[in-house]
Structures are given as structure tokens and as C-alpha cells.
Amino acid sequence: MLQRPPRVAAIHDLSGFGRCSLAVILPTLSAMKVQVCPIVTAVLSTHTGGLGEVVFRDLTADLRPTLAHYQRLGIEFECVYSGFLGSLEQIDHCLEYYAAYPDALAVVDPVMGDHGKPYRTYTPEMCRRMGELAAVADLITPNLTEACILLGIPYRNEPLRQTEAKSILARLSELGPRYVALTGVELADGAIANLGYDRDRGDYWRVDCVYVPASYPGTGDIFASVLVGALLSGDSLPMAIERATRFLEIAIRTTFSYGSDTRYGVMLESCLGWLMTAQTFDRYRLL
């Protein structure tokens, strides 16, 4: 049994304004009694979603020396968790971190695109090499756009039938990870759901979401962070997906009720207390 909180090496950028990446990962996991050690890939004044010209500093050159320092100190991690990456070199460094901690839970949030299109910074080669990260992961957390990119299949902007959703989950797991969490999927029965697959058990899961007509940056980072914290605390995959789903519902609906500028992200500060309360879950079900 650990005599300290679980420890996560979080390989992400830091945006000073806009509530995304490390700015939400740090408080979210800390509220779940998990120590976050930020491995900062870049520092930005704001996120890049419509807030003007961004001040940007690339910290790629610091990633390898940081890993070497931690290894000299004998620092252990229970999880290594990567998100948005800015270059092929950063992908190489992430692979080095995963290899350096083979017993840690390897979590890859393959942040590459949304709404059927890759982000402008993601070249075809970067998209292809994200598959190398998926291959060494225990858990990946793509949205449907990212799932299609990883699988090399066309994105279709239409609801998924149950058989289609299961096929995508299974094929993603064949890339390497035992666990897959597929976020924000519109299903043919009219529901919006977060889906999960546990390859070892052969179980497919769904957790339906309450729809809100607004989109906020950083929600994928929050979802993956709660998922990580829940798994490290002993939750099963469906319990962890429901915990992440319910928390995001609270954060999004709280923010939407105030009419806050969507570019500013969700009002995380008003909602973190929920993560510190004991909750029971019974709304997940088999897909």
C-alpha cells in the first residue's frame, strides 16, 4: 500500500487563460487526492481557440533532461498521462517517458481534432505517429474524430448504431490499449454518451450525458483527468467513466447557467468540491 498519494506525470502544455490542459488537470486531480507532476511541453498566454495572438514558448528541449533528473532521483509514478502534443519530437519524448515507467498506468489522450477534422497543427505524419502512443497505452480517451484518425477510417457526421460503436471500440483496443473511453458519441437511439470498452473482460459500456447547447475548451482534459483519478483510486472502468461524465455535466451546466463566454472554459472553481464527496454510481450500463 502506498504511504503517499498516487503520483501522475502529466505531459501537457500550460495555457495561462482559458481553463484547459494543465490549468484544469492540476486542480482536478489534486481534488481527487492525486499528486500531479507537470511535464510542461509549452507555455501559452491563452489557449488557441479564438483569443487573439498567443504568446508561446516551446519547452520541448526540457523534456528529456527532466526525465533524466527524475530517474536520478528515483522518483516513481503510478501513471504517465499525455495530452496535446506539438511536434514529432514531443511524441518521441512521450514514448521515452512511457518506456521509463513500464509499471505505471499509461494514459494517452490523443488530442488531434474535432468535428471531423484534425487540428491545423497536426500533420498526417503526427496523426500516424499518435498510433505509436496508443500502442503503448493502457487507456486512450479519443473523441469520435480522433478515433477515426487513429483507425484511418472516414468520419461520418451521423449517429452510430450499437454495432458500429462496438466495432470502433474493439478496433481501437486492437491498437494496443486494454481500456478505451470514447467521448461525446451520438447514438442512433438519440442519446449522447461516453462509451467504454474493457478488452480483458470483453465488456462494452455506455454512460448517457445531459446535452447542453454549448462547447467549452478543456472539457476533454477534465474528463480524462477525472478518469485517471478514479482509476487510481480503485474505480472500475464504467464507474470511472460515470464519475467523469457526472462531474463534467455539473461543470458545464453551472457555466452555461451563468452565460459565461465559452472561450473561457468551464467554471471549474465552483464545482471542484463535488469531486471530494463520496458518490455512488448506478447509471452506467452495458452497450
Side-chain angles (χ1 to χ4, degrees), residues 129-142:
R129 294 208 57 212
M130 286 298 286
E132 296 180 31
L133 289 180
V136 301
D138 297 306
L139 164 69
I140 60 172
T141 61

Side-chain angles (χ1 to χ4, degrees), residues 71-83:
Q71 291 182 302
R72 288 195 301 272
L73 291 172
I75 292 176
E76 297 178 348
F77 294 103
E78 282 63 56
C79 174
V80 178
Y81 160 34
S82 67

Side-chain angles (χ1 to χ4, degrees), residues 160-206:
L160 292 181
R161 297 189 301 272
Q162 178 176 297
T163 54
E164 293 173 319
K166 284 186 172 182
S167 175
I168 289 172
L169 288 165
R171 291 178 63 187
L172 287 168
S173 184
E174 288 170 2
L175 298 176
R178 171 184 172 177
Y179 301 116
V180 177
L182 185 60
T183 61
V185 178
E186 184 179 359
L187 296 171
D189 62 10
I192 307 278
N194 295 320
L195 310 180
Y197 177 54
D198 181 338
R199 184 183 60 220
D200 288 4
R201 290 184 52 180
D203 288 336
Y204 299 85
W205 302 95
R206 64 181 283 179

